[in-house]
Amino acid sequence: MCMPQAMMLTTMATTYASISAGKAQARAYMDSAKSEAEQIQADKQVAELESQIAVTSRWKDYGEALSINNTFLALANRNVNDPSAMALFQRNFDTAQEDIERINLQHKLNQDKRDRMIDATLSTASQRATASRRSGLINALNVGTAGIMQIKDIET
């Protein structure tokens, strides 16, 4: 009667392997998602720096334009307090502020998009991991049931 014991041992080993495989696949999905989320988070940090650089660059350009305008006004013997000069300076300032608001808005939209990507990545991975664990358990149940039925057939 060694055959039923050997079949039971094989059934138990296969059942355990099915459960382990489901858990391993679930861990792989979650590890992959965490790695991808970390990469997206790093991209967010780079985008934050790029946004700050763009804002700084725009203010620098504004400062250079202001200096150039002051120089040309001085060369033209015009007063910087002249209404047309003041209007020019105000328009340049308003344009710089609008550009910076656009840069900040674009940055915020991109950061929000990246946050949604992180959420979607982790959510999808969690669902896939749950399905993998469930699949491993169902496969283990099928293998165990089939093994028990085969053992009963041999014993009868």
Side-chain angles (χ1 to χ4, degrees):
M1 284 299 179
C2 188
M3 186 67 163
Q5 289 87 0
M7 285 188 74
M8 183 53 114
L9 186 60
T10 303
T11 300
M12 289 171 42
T14 306
T15 301
Y16 179 77
S18 293
I19 293 170
S20 295
K23 287 181 179 180
Q25 189 174 21
R27 270 192 310 276
Y29 283 137
M30 291 308 296
D31 289 347
S32 174
K34 286 177 186 173
S35 177
E36 188 174 339
E38 288 171 358
Q39 182 59 48
I40 294 170
Q41 190 63 36
D43 290 346
K44 279 181 65 175
Q45 291 172 348
V46 169
E48 179 70 34
L49 292 174
E50 288 173 345
S51 176
Q52 291 173 0
I53 289 168
V55 168
T56 301
S57 176
R58 183 61 184 102
W59 279 124
K60 180 181 169 222
D61 292 346
Y62 167 73
E64 289 173 358
L66 186 63
S67 296
I68 291 169
N69 288 336
N70 279 331
T71 302
F72 279 119
L73 287 172
L75 289 173
N77 288 327
R78 292 190 56 199
N79 187 347
V80 293
N81 294 326
D82 178 282
S84 63
M86 294 297 284
L88 173 66
F89 294 146
Q90 185 61 47
R91 181 65 188 136
N92 284 347
F93 179 76
D94 291 346
T95 301
Q97 272 193 318
E98 289 171 8
D99 290 347
I100 288 170
E101 286 173 7
R102 283 188 202 105
I103 291 168
N104 288 335
L105 178 61
Q106 182 180 10
H107 172 66
K108 182 186 179 315
L109 292 173
N110 285 335
Q111 295 297 65
D112 290 347
K113 176 182 152 190
R114 286 182 178 94
D115 286 339
R116 286 190 304 275
M117 287 171 60
I118 289 171
D119 290 344
T121 298
L122 294 175
S123 175
T124 301
S126 177
Q127 291 169 358
R128 291 175 81 184
T130 299
S132 292
R133 282 190 292 274
R134 194 172 290 140
S135 175
L137 291 172
I138 290 170
N139 190 34
L141 181 64
N142 288 338
V143 167
T145 303
I148 291 170
M149 290 175 71
Q150 287 176 353
I151 291 169
K152 287 204 182 258
D153 285 346
I154 290 174
E155 288 178 345
T156 57

